[in-house]
Amino acid sequence: MINGERIILRALNQSDSILLLHWVNNPRLKELTGTVYPVSELEHKQWFEKKIVDQFSKIFGIEDTESKKLIGIIGLKQIDFINRNAELYIYIGEEDLWGQGLGTESVKLMVEFAFKEMNLHRIQLFAFSYNTRAIRSYEKAGFIVEGILKESVFRAGAYHDRVLMGIISK
């Protein structure tokens, strides 16, 4: 476990899977994560089992320290141990907890863990340009905008930019 002030990053359990399936099919969350199609139980089960054992990916549950409930997920994918970099992803699944700084705290903890414990040097992420709340959160965690992928995502009948952000270990 990785302990923070208001959250804990912990390993996911099989019992967490059904809650993640609920979140991934939430229309408001899908708009922010990029999920296009409805996800079936079978697809989700296969994704979950693959993610847990993938050596180039690490996923954690975000648990609220007060309620002891799972509130989201955070992870690193495409971990490159030779060049010491990875891509970060996160979402807070519980909408009533959006905008309370829990995502920012989670990102800061994950970055610290990645740099100090995994010996990574660089972490990058992508955010949709319309997700200004996420972009502000990443900036608070120390990420900087490194580039814009113009009109690289199609959502709700229109093209949108993706923002590439990164952070380098000190």
Side-chain angles (χ1 to χ4, degrees):
M1 289 193 302
I2 304 166
N3 295 304
E5 192 174 305
R6 297 179 299 155
I7 57 102
I8 294 170
L9 304 184
R10 64 163 175 82
L12 287 175
N13 302 310
Q14 189 66 44
S15 60
D16 297 324
S17 180
I18 196 71
L19 183 56
L20 271 62
L21 177 60
H22 170 73
W23 289 338
V24 79
N25 282 314
N26 175 335
R28 290 194 61 207
L29 196 54
K30 285 170 67 168
E31 178 183 334
L32 303 175
T33 62
T35 303
V36 176
Y37 303 105
V39 177
S40 71
E41 285 184 37
L42 179 58
E43 288 172 303
H44 179 70
K45 181 178 188 240
Q46 291 173 342
W47 171 86
F48 189 83
E49 289 172 355
K50 182 181 170 191
K51 236 356 166 183
I52 297 301
V53 297
D54 184 349
Q55 65 179 334
F56 300 107
S57 178
K58 187 60 187 160
I59 186 170
F60 294 89
I62 303 170
E63 184 177 291
D64 179 73
T65 56
E66 191 174 307
S67 69
K68 304 293 185 211
K69 291 184 181 177
L70 187 68
I71 63 165
I73 63 168
I74 189 169
L76 298 170
K77 62 184 180 179
Q78 299 173 346
I79 301 170
D80 178 344
F81 291 104
I82 294 172
N83 296 302
R84 298 176 44 218
N85 59 58
E87 183 179 331
L88 183 136
Y89 61 94
I90 179 175
Y91 66 78
I92 302 296
E94 297 297 324
E95 290 183 60
D96 60 326
L97 297 175
W98 290 1
Q100 296 184 22
L102 299 171
T104 302
E105 182 179 347
S106 300
V107 169
K108 286 179 179 178
L109 280 175
M110 178 58 83
V111 167
E112 181 180 11
F113 176 79
F115 289 161
K116 291 184 178 177
E117 302 301 325
M118 296 177 66
N119 195 31
L120 294 182
H121 176 67
R122 180 181 191 282
I123 300 172
Q124 69 180 28
L125 59 83
F126 294 93
F128 299 131
S129 58
Y130 57 78
N131 193 351
T132 56
R133 186 175 63 239
I135 292 168
R136 280 193 310 271
S137 175
Y138 300 139
E139 288 173 336
K140 287 179 189 173
F143 283 79
I144 60 167
V145 173
E146 295 182 338
I148 306 292
L149 285 74
K150 301 300 283 182
E151 298 186 8
S152 61
V153 66
F154 186 77
R155 293 284 179 278
Y159 285 97
H160 302 277
D161 298 343
R162 281 192 301 160
V163 180
L164 169 62
M165 302 181 78
I167 188 169
I168 306 289
S169 65
K170 296 175 180 147

